[in-house]
Amino acid sequence: MKGMLKGKMMKKLKPIKPIGYLKETRVLQVNAADGFIETFIRKPILKAQTPEVMLCKEVEQEKVKDCSFVVNQEPDVIDVNDLMRDLEEEEEEDMEVDDDKENVGPVVKARVDLFGVKDKESKGSNSNQSPLSEIDNSSFRRPDLNSGSLFDPNLLAAFEEAVKEHMRVSEEERRARIEKENLERMREEAERSFEDQEEEPPLKARRIEEDDDIDPILGFPEMCPPGGSGSVILYTTSLRGIRKTFEDCNSIRFLLESFRVLYFERDVSMHMEFKEELWKVLDGRVNPPRLFIKGRYIGGAGEVLALHEQGRFRVLFEGIPIDIFIGSPCEGCAGFRFVLCSHCNGSHKVVAENGLSSTCQDCNENGLIICPLCC
Ligand SMILES: [Zn+2]
Ligand SMILES: [Zn+2]
């Protein structure tokens, strides 16, 4: 019986390793000074040790509990020598037993039993401390021991869903951010190249501009294409037959767009009338591109690019409105500058009631009409 009891108590005592470094004097002091050795439970000496040590620790650390708390227990006399001997025995045994064995429960239980209170520290670490009736176990699920996981499968599924959703959202955000960054980088590059080219004309150009009170446009010959007296008109071609011509058109168009000035492009390959008026104005069979500003002939690609390099190009646009719609194509022609003739559906031919066909009078040779919105 005693051995059984002792074994039971040993179990309880195992977690109390610090007992090993408790000094003999301290134990004795406690016994003598507090006088509660007499008050402890009789038979199991070790039982007396447990609460005693616990109590002392608690008193030292928390200075809350009074050791005399246990006074109401059955008083007994404990032989100090016995106590010490058992202590040593216990230490030896402790060395033999697996030290790493987790055995927190009994300690907490001992504490709770002793003080009759649940302290915060021990709460949750051992369910023994609270009566079962106090635990709300209605929401607990009995774990299925055959299952691969002890978690609620519904909970796991919900968690997986949440993780997937989170990954999907963050992936979308990442993609959107990359796209946005790319767009911004492109815009920055475009603006930088625009500034490099135009925002700061060479010093020489600025000096010319400042020194010259006369409008620099007056230095160019007066050759006004139809409707071009107060605007910018660029004759171009969209035919790629002659590569140089096509590329020259593109470079002047790019310059004008980078200035954001309002200009009208007349594609001679789309509209013979444009070619004819160009040849007439310049008095010769010239090739595009040809640029006119405010009724004056600036030149072809070579002249324009040279002016631009000298910083004498931008000043020519004084008084020309900014194209607020630049970058957003015309609603009428989508930037094409022509629309299909609605009269002949682009065939440039109309069939009369008597069966005779004739040329459509509304459109050009290609069955197109110049866009009424943007040109
Ligand atoms: Zn248009
Ligand atoms: Zn037509």
Side-chain angles (χ1 to χ4, degrees), residues 12 36 40-41 47-56 58 65-73 107-117:
K12 282 194 175 183
F36 65 84
F40 270 119
I41 312 151
K47 197 171 189 174
Q49 286 172 0
T50 308
E52 169 195 279
V53 172
M54 296 286 309
L55 276 175
C56 294
E58 292 290 330
K65 303 297 175 188
D66 190 348
C67 284
S68 62
F69 187 77
V70 284
V71 158
N72 58 354
Q73 300 204 16
V107 181
V108 178
K109 188 174 195 298
R111 258 195 221 169
V112 173
D113 288 346
L114 246 180
F115 297 124
V117 291

Side-chain angles (χ1 to χ4, degrees), residues 341 343-346 348 360 362-363 367:
C341 174
H343 188 208
C344 65
N345 283 327
H348 195 44
C360 177
D362 293 353
C363 57

